Amino acid sequence: MNKDPYSLSAEEFYARGDSYFLPHISIDCVIFGFHDNQLKVLLLEWKDSLRWSLPGGFILKDEDIDQAATTILLKRTGLEKIHLHQFHTFGDPNRDRKKHGINPPKGSNPKSWIMDRFITIGYWALVEHSKVTPSPDSFSRSCSWCEVSEVPDLILDHNLIIDKALESLRLQLNDYPVGFNLLPTKFTMPELQSLYETILGEKLDRRNFQKKMLSLGVLTRLNEQKQGGAHKAPFLYKFDKKKYQMALKRGLSFGI
Amino acid sequence: MNKDPYSLSAEEFYARGDSYFLPHISIDCVIFGFHDNQLKVLLLEWKDSLRWSLPGGFILKDEDIDQAATTILLKRTGLEKIHLHQFHTFGDPNRDRKKHGINPPKGSNPKSWIMDRFITIGYWALVEHSKVTPSPDSFSRSCSWCEVSEVPDLILDHNLIIDKALESLRLQLNDYPVGFNLLPTKFTMPELQSLYETILGEKLDRRNFQKKMLSLGVLTRLNEQKQGGAHKAPFLYKFDKKKYQMALKRGLSFGI
DNA sequence: TTGTTATTGTGTTAATTGTACACAATGATA
DNA sequence: TATCATTGTGTACAATTAACACAATAACAA
């Protein structure tokens, strides 16, 4: 009971994880990134099978659920201080590894607490793709980005969880500057537009988009231009948090 | 293990409820009603103290969480087939009766599963005030309506849960016809406007409101007028579900 | 019976916002 | 140096929202 619960061996975890973590409750994270004009999510590939799943974890008996989600994000990406958004809790009684032929690793107790029915709390996060160091957990062989429209069959209801996360993200997009978290500090207007188009799944008018974004008054145009492109060099912008805080007070909408 | 889990005595429930229900997880319902131009919520007054709380309950080991919430709503209001909206899950580790001086009834085990830390899933529902028969649970002396701005101090974080439910309701108001569920089948335009004003907490222009509502094409004006008022008799309207289904397909917004 | 009052029904107009386009400027390439 | 794809900026029109005026009605008081 006094070991680091994140350093347990698989056997110990299956046998006695419930002395550290709450039973029947888990957390799953949909971690979004944006790269090559594609919206991607971070997936785990399991060690001993061809299964894929979302990064997830459990809640320490005296831990806040937001903190538990933050820990999961940190361990899979190396990132701290990222805003996590809780979007839905999934409670179908079929969320049960027993009912899906998912077995504990050989040598572990097949009656483990992990094999019970679980309710999972879904969070999404927006991270800067280039800053992420994807790290598998001890049950996975790899942790990697996957384009959202090419996600394979995942365990349990994890595909549904991604769908719901995307739906929630689209709704948030109209009220909060979620897009900016996905881009590097400096970005061009076409990059920002491409991001919005990808999340919303529709093409937007280039000129009206720029007009709208600049009218929010939360972007600062830098005296630099993006070099290396094959055509006219676009200006670089940065998201101005101070201006954003000011703008929030008078109310602003990111609706496109 | 084969009794009706909802007919347990208090002693049995505290001692062995966790053989029927999931531990550490509860559901709390914010049940909204509208009466006398006031938005109200249903509260429980506890038997053995001066405490108040939201109607809540637990999840059977093999029960869907939405179903569990539906059961809670049915038991407190007598109503079925009401849309419940899951809006947030509350996971502060201080959600623990032990830490708030809330004790089991005399004669029950003070180490009961109920005295552990609980994560609660919040749902709200909109019900027609006149159709509700408020019924206390076995731990409460009364179940009654309370105006949302006059809610007393509730146990644990139940006041926060109501705040979050209201916030979620306001957001939904702009996308779904939530208001109509709170009114009787036949209602007047001023009544509908008063409901929107109460939920949003702001005054709206009478003429623009009517124009907007009628333009949605989901209301049918009846050949009747509300009698008994002190002034000009307003027309009665009803919400037309068929028209609503049609309108949904082409997309519509209730934004005010 | 009749005027007063508060409320409802139905417009019209002005301001704002959103949509659809046109054209010049730029940087790499041929 | 001409071409091409792309970026920067502006303008006209449509749609929506906001602001406002006046007639009709029902209860009440004189």
Side-chain angles (χ1 to χ4, degrees):
Chain A
M1 279 284 280
N2 41 19
K3 291 182 69 168
D4 172 11
Y6 294 106
S7 305
L8 298 174
S9 70
E11 285 77 12
E12 285 175 315
F13 180 77
Y14 277 87
R16 300 200 328 275
D18 56 346
S19 60
Y20 303 94
F21 298 104
L22 293 176
H24 300 291
I25 312 176
S26 62
I27 285 177
D28 285 298
C29 293
V30 183
I31 302 168
F32 289 106
F34 190 68
H35 189 62
D36 289 338
N37 278 354
Q38 290 183 322
L39 189 66
K40 306 193 175 194
V41 293
L42 214 49
L43 296 182
L44 293 173
E45 185 184 10
W46 288 27
K47 264 181 186 165
D48 50 2
S49 70
L50 295 169
R51 296 182 211 271
W52 293 79
S53 73
L54 286 171
F58 305 93
I59 303 159
L60 292 168
K61 295 206 170 200
D62 198 39
E63 184 183 33
D64 186 80
I65 58 173
D66 293 348
Q67 180 55 51
T70 302
T71 301
I72 294 167
L73 182 69
L74 171 63
K75 286 181 178 289
R76 294 304 135 250
T77 66
L79 296 177
E80 287 181 294
K81 296 187 181 173
I82 299 292
H83 173 69
L84 276 150
H85 182 82
Q86 185 203 305
F87 64 96
H88 194 73
T89 294
F90 299 83
D92 186 324
N94 293 316
R95 300 193 80 272
D96 186 326
R97 285 163 149 78
K98 287 192 301 294
K99 297 185 182 177
H100 288 77
I102 305 172
N103 300 312
K106 286 172 196 167
S108 296
N109 182 357
K111 300 241 174 178
S112 164
W113 65 293
I114 292 288
M115 300 304 288
D116 286 334
R117 174 251 178 115
F118 268 79
I119 287 171
T120 200
I121 307 167
Y123 284 81
W124 55 250
L126 303 177
V127 300
E128 190 182 324
H129 186 279
S130 67
K131 291 209 172 145
V132 172
T133 311
S135 313
D137 63 21
S138 58
F139 302 100
S140 306
R141 71 157 61 127
S142 76
C143 177
S144 55
W145 292 106
C146 178
E147 212 270 310
V148 284
S149 63
E150 290 170 2
V151 171
D153 273 349
L154 307 177
I155 63 160
L156 300 175
D157 55 357
H158 285 200
N159 293 91
L160 171 67
I161 293 175
I162 292 179
D163 291 344
K164 275 267 190 185
L166 252 176
E167 192 178 79
S168 163
L169 174 59
R170 289 197 181 113
L171 289 173
Q172 294 282 314
L173 194 62
N174 285 328
D175 292 311
Y176 295 99
V178 290
F180 300 102
N181 300 324
L182 288 163
L183 293 171
T185 314
K186 299 175 182 181
F187 53 87
T188 67
M189 195 58 74
E191 284 167 349
L192 182 61
Q193 180 178 347
S194 167
L195 170 59
Y196 269 74
E197 288 178 338
T198 305
I199 295 178
L200 293 171
E202 59 176 318
K203 287 283 169 195
L204 302 169
D205 183 275
R206 185 172 64 83
R207 294 151 288 192
N208 295 334
F209 180 84
Q210 162 146 335
K211 210 184 304 172
K212 177 80 183 177
M213 280 296 145
L214 294 180
S215 75
L216 295 172
V218 299
L219 293 183
T220 303
R221 186 162 97 176
L222 305 172
N223 288 323
E224 310 175 55
Q225 292 171 285
K226 179 128 184 172
Q227 303 299 329
H231 303 286
K232 179 172 180 177
F235 283 107
L236 286 165
Y237 292 85
K238 71 179 175 71
F239 181 65
D240 190 323
K241 277 196 179 161
K242 275 189 184 174
K243 285 184 183 172
Y244 173 63
Q245 298 298 342
M246 304 266 286
L248 258 194
K249 288 176 189 169
R250 64 169 195 274
L252 86 182
S253 164
F254 288 81
I256 300 293
Chain B
M1 277 284 279
N2 40 20
K3 291 182 70 170
D4 172 12
Y6 294 107
S7 305
L8 298 175
S9 71
E11 285 76 12
E12 285 175 314
F13 180 78
Y14 276 88
R16 300 200 326 277
D18 57 346
S19 59
Y20 303 93
F21 298 104
L22 293 176
H24 300 291
I25 313 175
S26 61
I27 286 177
D28 284 299
C29 293
V30 183
I31 302 168
F32 289 106
F34 190 68
H35 189 61
D36 290 337
N37 278 352
Q38 290 184 321
L39 189 65
K40 306 193 173 194
V41 293
L42 215 48
L43 296 182
L44 292 174
E45 184 184 11
W46 288 25
K47 265 180 187 166
D48 50 2
S49 70
L50 296 170
R51 295 181 211 272
W52 293 78
S53 73
L54 287 171
F58 305 94
I59 302 159
L60 293 169
K61 296 205 168 200
D62 197 40
E63 184 183 34
D64 186 80
I65 58 174
D66 293 347
Q67 180 56 51
T70 302
T71 301
I72 293 167
L73 181 68
L74 171 62
K75 286 181 178 288
R76 295 302 136 250
T77 66
L79 296 178
E80 287 182 292
K81 296 187 179 173
I82 300 291
H83 172 69
L84 276 150
H85 182 82
Q86 184 202 304
F87 64 94
H88 195 74
T89 294
F90 299 83
D92 187 324
N94 294 315
R95 301 193 80 272
D96 186 325
R97 284 164 150 78
K98 287 192 299 296
K99 297 185 182 176
H100 287 78
I102 304 173
N103 299 311
K106 284 173 196 167
S108 297
N109 183 358
K111 301 243 172 178
S112 165
W113 65 294
I114 292 288
M115 301 303 289
D116 286 334
R117 173 254 179 114
F118 268 80
I119 287 170
T120 200
I121 306 167
Y123 284 81
W124 56 250
L126 304 177
V127 299
E128 189 182 326
H129 186 278
S130 67
K131 290 210 174 145
V132 173
T133 311
S135 313
D137 63 23
S138 59
F139 302 100
S140 306
R141 70 158 61 127
S142 75
C143 177
S144 55
W145 291 106
C146 179
E147 213 271 310
V148 284
S149 64
E150 291 170 3
V151 171
D153 273 350
L154 308 178
I155 62 160
L156 301 174
D157 55 357
H158 285 200
N159 293 92
L160 171 67
I161 293 175
I162 292 179
D163 291 345
K164 276 268 189 184
L166 253 176
E167 192 178 71
S168 162
L169 175 58
R170 288 196 181 113
L171 289 173
Q172 292 284 313
L173 195 61
N174 285 328
D175 292 311
Y176 295 100
V178 290
F180 300 103
N181 301 322
L182 287 163
L183 293 171
T185 314
K186 298 175 182 181
F187 53 86
T188 67
M189 195 58 75
E191 285 168 348
L192 182 61
Q193 180 177 347
S194 167
L195 170 58
Y196 269 74
E197 288 178 340
T198 305
I199 295 178
L200 293 170
E202 59 177 317
K203 287 283 168 194
L204 302 170
D205 183 274
R206 187 172 63 84
R207 295 151 287 192
N208 293 335
F209 179 83
Q210 162 146 333
K211 210 183 304 171
K212 178 79 180 176
M213 281 296 146
L214 293 180
S215 75
L216 295 172
V218 299
L219 293 183
T220 303
R221 185 162 98 178
L222 306 172
N223 288 321
E224 310 174 56
Q225 290 171 285
K226 180 126 181 174
Q227 302 300 329
H231 302 287
K232 179 171 179 177
F235 284 106
L236 285 166
Y237 292 84
K238 71 181 177 71
F239 181 66
D240 190 323
K241 278 196 177 161
K242 275 190 183 171
K243 285 184 183 173
Y244 172 63
Q245 297 299 343
M246 303 267 286
L248 258 192
K249 288 176 187 168
R250 65 167 194 273
L252 84 184
S253 164
F254 289 81
I256 299 292

